[in-house]
Amino acid sequence: FLSWLLHRLHVGVGGSVVRPSKKKKKKKNRKGGGGSIVHETFMGNVEMTTIVTRRKRRGDQAALAMLNEGGRDAVTMHDNNNNSEVAAFDEDDDDDRAGSDDEETMERKRQKREILKSLADETIIDEEETVTETQFLQLTLDIPEKPLFKDDDGGLVIPQEPLVNVLRKFDGVSFSDVLAMHQQTTESKEDGTIVSKKRRYKLKTLPNYLILHLSRFKRNGFFVEKNPTIVMFPVKNFDLSSYVFPEGGRQEVPTEEQVRAMSTKELKKLLVDYGRGDVANNAIEKNELLQHCLDFVSTSLPDLLADKYDLVANITHDIPAEVGREGTKHNPLEEGSYRCHVQHKATGQWYEMQDLEVTETMPQLIGVSESYLLIFERKGAVLRNT
C-alpha cells in the first residue's frame, strides 16, 4: 500500500508516470530521482550485483575454442581420460589432397570429431555477474527466523534482534540467495538451467526520509505466518554511514579557511546543493552569505554527510496473547492490530495512536516494539521550497 501511495502522490504533484529504469553502474543519476518532491524526499539509490549460476551444455563453439587454445595438451589430457591417444585438434595436420586419405587419417578425424562432440556435450557450471543501479522508495529487510520458546503458562518467549544485524543485507559485502537450487530452464537451451541466484546490495545514496519495511509476514501453504522477533533500533542518532558507498568516496566538510576563500557563486552553490537555496537567495551582502555558510558548515553539514537519522514515525503490529499457544490457529493479519508512534517535533513528546485513542509514550518503549514500518529523518535535512 505504501509504495502505491507514494507513487500516486508523486504523480499527483506532477511527477513522471514512467518508473525510473535500472541503469548501468557508471551512468550518472538524474537529479531529483523522478521530477517530484516525493521522489526527492524518499528516493535513494542502490547498486545490485547479481550472480547467476547455471548448469548448461558446453556447446560446439566453446569446445572448439577450448581445443584450439589448449592445443595438444588439452586434447591429450582429454584423450588420456578416455584411454585413447589422439593428436592435437588442428585442421592443418590433415592432408586433404585427393588420394591422401588412408585408414590412419580417417581414424584420426573420426576420433577428433568424437572428442569435439564429447567436450561440447559436457555439463559445465557457468557464473554470470551483472551490476545495475536502481532507485528505491523503501528498503525491505528480512527478519531472521529464530526459535520460539514456551514460558510456564504456555505462551511464547519473543526473541530479539538488533537492527544492525538485519541491515547486513545492505552492507555491500554479503550475498543473499534469491533463487537457490531452483530447477528453472530458461527459454534458450544454450542458457541451461539456473542452479542458484544470489544478490548483493550496496547503497549509493540515502534519501532525507528513509523508510524501512520489516518483512514480518509470509504465506506458508494456506496459512499466513508472522515472525514475532523484536527488532531493536535506536530512536536518535542512528548512524548508517558504514552502509553507504557514495560514488567518488565520502565528501569532507570544508574548513573555515576554505569557506572564507570561496567566491559568492561558490558560497551560493554550497547552500543550494544541500537544500538551503532559500537562504542563499535571501542573502544580499556577501558577508551575510558567508556567515550563513559558516553556520551551516559548523552545525548542519557534518550531520548531513555522516548519514545520521532520527526516528519520526513507527508502525507496529500486535497479536493477541493467546496466539501461538498450543492447539490454536490464527491468521495474524485478521487477529492482530496496528499501532502508530509519532513524535511532536516542537516538544519532542512521543504519542501512541490506535484508532481514535491517543496516549503519551516513552521512546524507550518504541525501540523494543514489534515494528512493521520505520520512518527515519536525516539529521539536518531541510526540504526545498516548492
Side-chain angles (χ1 to χ4, degrees), residues 267-373:
L267 292 173
K268 288 186 176 181
K269 184 177 184 303
L270 175 63
L271 294 174
V272 171
D273 287 346
Y274 293 99
R276 301 299 199 279
D278 54 337
V279 177
N281 294 330
N282 293 332
I284 300 176
E285 300 291 337
K286 181 179 179 180
N287 289 337
E288 180 183 1
L289 180 62
L290 176 61
Q291 188 59 46
H292 286 313
C293 288
L294 290 174
D295 294 340
F296 170 68
V297 167
S298 61
T299 57
S300 301
L301 187 57
D303 287 334
L304 287 174
L305 297 181
D307 290 316
K308 290 185 177 181
Y309 287 80
D310 293 335
L311 186 73
V312 294
N314 173 53
I315 298 177
T316 68
H317 180 272
D318 299 317
I319 55 178
E322 65 270 12
V323 174
R325 296 181 184 272
E326 294 182 2
T328 60
K329 271 291 184 180
H330 294 268
N331 186 337
L333 295 178
E334 296 178 356
E335 300 289 338
S337 60
Y338 292 91
R339 291 180 294 118
C340 180
H341 301 109
V342 294
Q343 183 189 37
H344 187 261
K345 296 287 290 185
T347 62
Q349 176 64 51
W350 280 92
Y351 293 91
E352 178 180 293
M353 298 183 295
Q354 184 175 11
D355 297 330
L356 297 179
E357 183 180 355
V358 180
T359 58
E360 293 184 356
T361 186
M362 295 185 296
Q364 294 86 347
L365 300 178
I366 299 174
V368 292
S369 59
E370 293 186 46
S371 298
Y372 181 63
L373 198 70

Side-chain angles (χ1 to χ4, degrees), residues 56-69:
K56 65 178 185 178
R57 179 177 177 269
R58 187 191 304 277
D60 298 335
Q61 296 295 330
L64 182 60
M66 176 181 176
L67 291 178
N68 289 335
E69 291 177 3

Side-chain angles (χ1 to χ4, degrees), residues 203-247:
L203 296 172
K204 309 302 289 185
T205 60
L206 291 178
N208 286 337
Y209 286 82
L210 177 64
I211 301 176
L212 299 181
H213 166 229
L214 300 178
S215 182
R216 290 191 175 275
F217 303 98
K218 68 177 182 179
R219 184 169 295 276
N220 185 9
F222 298 100
F223 301 99
V224 176
E225 296 181 348
K226 176 188 176 182
N227 186 337
T229 300
I230 294 177
V231 178
M232 301 177 296
F233 56 89
V235 176
K236 296 184 69 67
N237 294 318
F238 183 32
D239 190 358
L240 291 172
S241 58
S242 60
Y243 298 92
V244 184
F245 305 87
E247 293 287 349

